[in-house]
């Protein structure tokens, strides 16, 4: 299948490109349907779609599956209801902590393998609930209310206007760590909750988080956004946690994700944030595009803006696609269009699994799939949004846009 018509310049309006996006989304849904577990929750999948032997189920994976199939239902790309209901059931039976409240991070079969209470996981509960509610699931609004209550009582720091990160299972202190990532996905979830319910406190909180990172932090660091902070929200340049989930320095993939969310907030509030968002996007693209290996975006930079972890994963490319599509929907520039083409050409050539469905999560130096940090295909969430967001007619309410979408047909 062609990525776009040979004569097309503006791909967002090109019928061939739109058909390509819809078909890749459909193939992703078909692939990840294999993850459904008869005994509750979802399997982790190998690259061929067979269940991996592990029994571990993590909160972010469960919630992202719910969110993704809700988007598919709204867009008319997958019926979705069975997967959404299955995931919601496991959130209650598997992840919800009936003893202490909130949601545990991970189970290994029937056993709790990681009982921590993480803001990162709880904001994804809010996101899943918002999307399931928008898709018409009757229990989702109660889940949204519950997630909002836990986030407010346990994680939200009103003085700072930001989310703290982590507690032990019984809500005793775990660490004083503060992080950018949980707050970035917090903005994503808060905007979704606002779009699903119209409740303005969600939008207000998203704005406060964005103000700190976009208006205060990003300009101080040459439009890069540090990952890690102290308990009083000072940048912590010495912090080096897990090299996969809490790497030191800056993560360009997160920068483009932030910029997309900022543009979404701007569209919802009528605020002009395009100039700042564009500075963040092009700082990240120019820093991270790996021309020497034929493309892709390197994972992290140090505080001097030099490459640190040079691994290339699928998700930064998907997020770059999402923000470039958002910029193009405001009119865009020739440079935006060229980068949008470049990202999709790289993804089509090296990341999309045209045989099995889904995207390969990481590449070796020769742009072949490898499995070092990621086993199998971790989730549908990032790549699906790269397919769906460019199809939307405008940047305002995503759920309304999905409902109005008439998917291209084969």
């Amino acid at each position: 299948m062609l990525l776009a018509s040979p004569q097309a310049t503006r791909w967002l309006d090109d019928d061939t490109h739109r058909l390509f996006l819809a078909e890749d989304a459909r193939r992703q849904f078909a692939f990840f349907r294999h993850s459904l577990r008869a005994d509750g929750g979802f399997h982790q999948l190998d690259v061929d779609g067979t269940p991996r032997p592990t029994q571990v189920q993590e909160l972010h994976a469960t919630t992202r599956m719910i969110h993704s199939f809700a988007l598919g239902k709204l867009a008319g790309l997958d019926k979705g209801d069975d997967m959404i209901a299955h995931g919601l059931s496991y959130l209650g039976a598997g992840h919800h902590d009936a003893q202490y409240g909130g949601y545990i991070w991970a189970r290994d079969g029937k056993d709790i393998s990681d009982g921590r209470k993480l803001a990162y996981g709880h904001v994804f509960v809010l996101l899943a609930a918002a999307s399931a509610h928008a898709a018409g699931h009757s229990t989702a609004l109660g889940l949204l209310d519950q997630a909002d209550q836990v986030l407010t009582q346990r994680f939200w720091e009103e003085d700072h206007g930001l989310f703290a990160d982590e507690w032990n299972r019984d809500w005793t202190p775990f660490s004083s760590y503060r992080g950018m990532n949980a707050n970035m996905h917090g903005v994503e979830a808060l905007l979704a909750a606002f779009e699903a319910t119209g409740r303005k406190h969600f939008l207000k909180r998203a704005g406060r988080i964005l103000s700190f990172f976009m208006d205060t932090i990003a300009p101080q660091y040459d439009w890069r956004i540090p990952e890690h902070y102290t308990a009083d929200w000072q940048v912590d340049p010495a912090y080096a946690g897990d090299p996969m989930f809490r790497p030191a320095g800056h993560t360009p993939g997160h920068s483009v994700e932030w910029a997309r969310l900022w543009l979404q907030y701007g569209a919802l509030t009528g605020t002009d944030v395009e100039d700042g968002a564009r500075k963040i996007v092009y700082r990240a693209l120019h820093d991270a595009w790996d021309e020497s290996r034929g493309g892709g975006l390197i994972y992290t930079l140090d505080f001097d803006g030099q490459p640190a972890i040079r691994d290339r994963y699928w998700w930064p490319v998907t997020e770059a696609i999402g923000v470039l599509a958002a910029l193009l929907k405001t009119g865009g520039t020739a440079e935006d269009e060229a980068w949008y083409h470049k990202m999709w050409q790289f993804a089509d050539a090296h990341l999309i699994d045209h045989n099995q469905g889904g995207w390969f999560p990481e590449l070796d130096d020769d742009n072949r799939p490898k499995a070092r940090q990621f086993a199998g295909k971790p989730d549908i969430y990032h790549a699906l949004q790269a397919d769906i967001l460019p199809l939307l007619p405008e940047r305002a309410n995503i759920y309304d846009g999905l409902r109005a979408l008439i998917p291209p047909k084969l």
Side-chain angles (χ1 to χ4, degrees):
M1 169 174 252
L2 288 175
L3 182 59
S5 301
Q7 71 277 14
T9 53
R10 184 175 161 86
W11 282 13
L12 292 184
D13 301 325
D14 178 63
D15 289 342
T16 299
H17 182 58
R18 294 176 66 79
L19 182 61
F20 171 89
L21 297 174
E23 179 57 16
D24 189 57
R26 291 186 182 104
R27 292 171 69 247
Q28 289 199 66
F29 285 123
F31 179 88
F32 279 97
R33 280 190 165 276
H34 296 298
S35 64
L36 192 145
R37 292 177 61 107
D39 59 347
F42 302 106
H43 291 288
Q44 296 180 35
L45 297 181
D46 212 331
V47 290
D48 62 357
T50 58
R52 295 187 58 241
T54 179
Q55 300 295 303
V56 172
Q57 298 194 62
E58 295 177 330
L59 182 57
H60 74 303
T62 303
T63 48
R64 286 175 173 184
M65 196 75 75
I66 297 166
H67 165 69
S68 296
F69 275 86
L71 297 186
K73 181 191 174 184
L74 287 165
L77 293 165
D78 185 274
K79 292 181 179 179
D81 283 321
D82 57 334
M83 295 290 282
I84 300 166
H86 191 80
L88 291 172
S89 176
Y90 190 73
L91 268 184
H95 289 295
H96 182 253
D97 189 340
Q99 182 175 0
Y100 295 107
Y103 293 83
I104 62 169
W105 178 247
R107 281 193 175 274
D108 189 345
K110 294 182 178 180
D111 298 324
I112 295 174
S113 58
D114 188 339
R116 286 178 301 158
K117 305 292 172 59
L118 303 179
Y120 182 84
H122 283 74
V123 298
F124 273 114
V125 176
L126 183 64
L127 177 66
S131 296
H133 175 61
H137 280 252
S138 60
T139 63
L141 186 58
L143 176 64
L144 185 150
D145 290 338
Q146 183 184 63
D148 182 28
Q149 181 180 38
V150 175
L151 285 165
T152 298
Q153 292 179 350
R154 300 293 189 177
F155 295 101
W156 183 251
E157 297 185 328
E158 178 63 25
D159 289 348
H160 296 289
L162 297 160
F163 287 118
D165 264 78
E166 54 194 2
W167 300 88
N168 287 310
R169 183 188 171 194
D170 62 359
W171 300 108
T172 55
F174 181 80
S175 79
S176 61
Y177 173 80
R178 300 291 184 270
M180 174 263 270
N181 198 11
N183 280 277
M184 181 188 71
H185 285 292
V187 170
E188 176 186 27
L190 290 164
L191 294 178
F194 170 72
E195 292 187 347
T197 68
R199 298 176 188 173
K200 292 184 178 180
H201 78 277
F202 292 124
L203 190 63
K204 181 179 179 181
R205 282 190 179 174
R208 291 188 68 188
I209 296 170
L210 284 163
S211 179
F212 176 75
F213 287 102
M214 303 296 96
D215 296 330
T216 301
I217 296 297
Q220 291 180 23
Y221 288 87
D222 200 17
W223 302 100
R224 303 182 183 104
I225 308 166
E227 291 277 330
H228 310 296
Y229 299 78
T230 62
D232 59 352
W233 286 101
Q234 300 300 307
V235 172
D236 187 355
Y239 184 92
D242 182 298
M244 182 68 254
F245 296 105
R246 289 186 181 177
H250 308 274
T251 306
H254 283 159
S255 290
V256 293
E257 199 166 355
W258 270 117
R260 176 175 65 80
L261 295 168
W262 201 15
L263 289 167
Q264 183 183 351
Y265 175 81
L268 290 170
T269 60
T271 306
D272 184 4
V273 301
E274 184 175 341
D275 182 62
R278 192 175 287 280
K279 288 176 181 176
I280 290 172
V281 170
Y282 279 95
R283 166 56 68 197
L285 295 180
H286 293 151
D287 280 342
W289 181 255
D290 193 343
E291 191 68 34
S292 67
R293 291 186 288 181
L297 299 172
I298 63 169
Y299 187 37
T300 69
L301 311 170
D302 63 23
F303 273 84
D304 294 323
Q306 298 302 306
I309 299 175
R310 298 187 64 92
D311 294 346
R312 293 169 302 155
Y313 304 128
W314 85 113
W315 70 262
V317 173
T318 70
E319 292 300 333
I321 286 168
V323 75
L324 289 163
L327 288 171
L328 287 165
K329 288 173 188 178
T330 67
T333 66
E335 188 177 16
D336 297 338
E337 187 74 39
W339 275 102
Y340 183 78
H341 293 186
K342 185 183 295 190
M343 290 296 164
W344 269 119
Q345 287 161 344
F346 183 82
D348 185 49
H350 304 299
L351 292 170
I352 297 174
D353 185 343
H354 294 281
N355 294 319
Q356 303 285 351
W359 291 36
F360 298 113
E362 57 185 315
L363 300 172
D364 67 13
D365 288 343
D366 297 314
N367 292 322
R368 295 171 301 198
K370 71 173 181 178
R372 189 170 70 86
Q373 289 288 355
F374 295 98
K377 290 173 181 163
D379 67 32
I380 186 175
Y381 159 81
H382 285 289
L384 177 70
Q385 293 187 152
D387 288 330
I388 284 182
L389 293 178
L391 288 170
L392 295 179
E394 58 186 27
R395 284 197 289 115
N397 190 307
I398 288 174
Y399 298 130
D400 286 347
L402 289 170
R403 293 185 187 101
L405 181 64
I406 300 174
K409 303 294 185 184
L410 290 174

mmCIF file with all atom_site columns, all heavy atoms in Angstrom, residues 57 114 152 249 286:
data_model
loop_
_atom_site.group_PDB
_atom_site.id
_atom_site.type_symbol
_atom_site.label_atom_id
_atom_site.label_alt_id
_atom_site.label_comp_id
_atom_site.label_asym_id
_atom_site.label_entity_id
_atom_site.label_seq_id
_atom_site.pdbx_PDB_ins_code
_atom_site.Cartn_x
_atom_site.Cartn_y
_atom_site.Cartn_z
_atom_site.occupancy
_atom_site.B_iso_or_equiv
_atom_site.pdbx_formal_charge
_atom_site.auth_seq_id
_atom_site.auth_comp_id
_atom_site.auth_asym_id
_atom_site.auth_atom_id
_atom_site.pdbx_PDB_model_num
ATOM 1  N N   . GLN A 1 57  ? 1.118  -7.897 34.704 1.00 0.00 ? 57  GLN A N   1
ATOM 2  C CA  . GLN A 1 57  ? 0.251  -6.890 34.076 1.00 0.00 ? 57  GLN A CA  1
ATOM 3  C C   . GLN A 1 57  ? 0.443  -5.579 34.814 1.00 0.00 ? 57  GLN A C   1
ATOM 4  O O   . GLN A 1 57  ? 0.198  -5.494 36.018 1.00 0.00 ? 57  GLN A O   1
ATOM 5  C CB  . GLN A 1 57  ? -1.215 -7.327 34.136 1.00 0.00 ? 57  GLN A CB  1
ATOM 6  C CG  . GLN A 1 57  ? -1.475 -8.620 33.389 1.00 0.00 ? 57  GLN A CG  1
ATOM 7  C CD  . GLN A 1 57  ? -2.952 -8.846 33.163 1.00 0.00 ? 57  GLN A CD  1
ATOM 8  O OE1 . GLN A 1 57  ? -3.624 -8.060 32.480 1.00 0.00 ? 57  GLN A OE1 1
ATOM 9  N NE2 . GLN A 1 57  ? -3.478 -9.918 33.709 1.00 0.00 ? 57  GLN A NE2 1
ATOM 10 N N   . ASP A 1 114 ? 4.179  -5.383 42.353 1.00 0.00 ? 114 ASP A N   1
ATOM 11 C CA  . ASP A 1 114 ? 4.652  -4.031 42.633 1.00 0.00 ? 114 ASP A CA  1
ATOM 12 C C   . ASP A 1 114 ? 3.450  -3.239 43.139 1.00 0.00 ? 114 ASP A C   1
ATOM 13 O O   . ASP A 1 114 ? 2.570  -2.865 42.358 1.00 0.00 ? 114 ASP A O   1
ATOM 14 C CB  . ASP A 1 114 ? 5.245  -3.385 41.386 1.00 0.00 ? 114 ASP A CB  1
ATOM 15 C CG  . ASP A 1 114 ? 5.932  -2.055 41.673 1.00 0.00 ? 114 ASP A CG  1
ATOM 16 O OD1 . ASP A 1 114 ? 5.624  -1.448 42.716 1.00 0.00 ? 114 ASP A OD1 1
ATOM 17 O OD2 . ASP A 1 114 ? 6.758  -1.625 40.848 1.00 0.00 ? 114 ASP A OD2 1
ATOM 18 N N   . THR A 1 152 ? -6.421 13.991 43.426 1.00 0.00 ? 152 THR A N   1
ATOM 19 C CA  . THR A 1 152 ? -6.538 15.226 44.204 1.00 0.00 ? 152 THR A CA  1
ATOM 20 C C   . THR A 1 152 ? -6.035 15.042 45.624 1.00 0.00 ? 152 THR A C   1
ATOM 21 O O   . THR A 1 152 ? -5.275 15.871 46.149 1.00 0.00 ? 152 THR A O   1
ATOM 22 C CB  . THR A 1 152 ? -8.004 15.700 44.227 1.00 0.00 ? 152 THR A CB  1
ATOM 23 O OG1 . THR A 1 152 ? -8.426 15.994 42.890 1.00 0.00 ? 152 THR A OG1 1
ATOM 24 C CG2 . THR A 1 152 ? -8.159 16.948 45.095 1.00 0.00 ? 152 THR A CG2 1
ATOM 25 N N   . GLY A 1 249 ? 18.894 13.661 32.112 1.00 0.00 ? 249 GLY A N   1
ATOM 26 C CA  . GLY A 1 249 ? 18.947 14.672 31.060 1.00 0.00 ? 249 GLY A CA  1
ATOM 27 C C   . GLY A 1 249 ? 17.600 15.019 30.463 1.00 0.00 ? 249 GLY A C   1
ATOM 28 O O   . GLY A 1 249 ? 16.617 15.224 31.164 1.00 0.00 ? 249 GLY A O   1
ATOM 29 N N   . HIS A 1 286 ? 15.783 18.855 15.626 1.00 0.00 ? 286 HIS A N   1
ATOM 30 C CA  . HIS A 1 286 ? 17.156 19.128 15.197 1.00 0.00 ? 286 HIS A CA  1
ATOM 31 C C   . HIS A 1 286 ? 18.174 18.465 16.129 1.00 0.00 ? 286 HIS A C   1
ATOM 32 O O   . HIS A 1 286 ? 19.246 18.049 15.687 1.00 0.00 ? 286 HIS A O   1
ATOM 33 C CB  . HIS A 1 286 ? 17.398 20.633 15.111 1.00 0.00 ? 286 HIS A CB  1
ATOM 34 C CG  . HIS A 1 286 ? 16.609 21.290 14.029 1.00 0.00 ? 286 HIS A CG  1
ATOM 35 N ND1 . HIS A 1 286 ? 16.201 22.605 14.101 1.00 0.00 ? 286 HIS A ND1 1
ATOM 36 C CD2 . HIS A 1 286 ? 16.114 20.810 12.861 1.00 0.00 ? 286 HIS A CD2 1
ATOM 37 C CE1 . HIS A 1 286 ? 15.516 22.909 13.003 1.00 0.00 ? 286 HIS A CE1 1
ATOM 38 N NE2 . HIS A 1 286 ? 15.451 21.845 12.244 1.00 0.00 ? 286 HIS A NE2 1
#
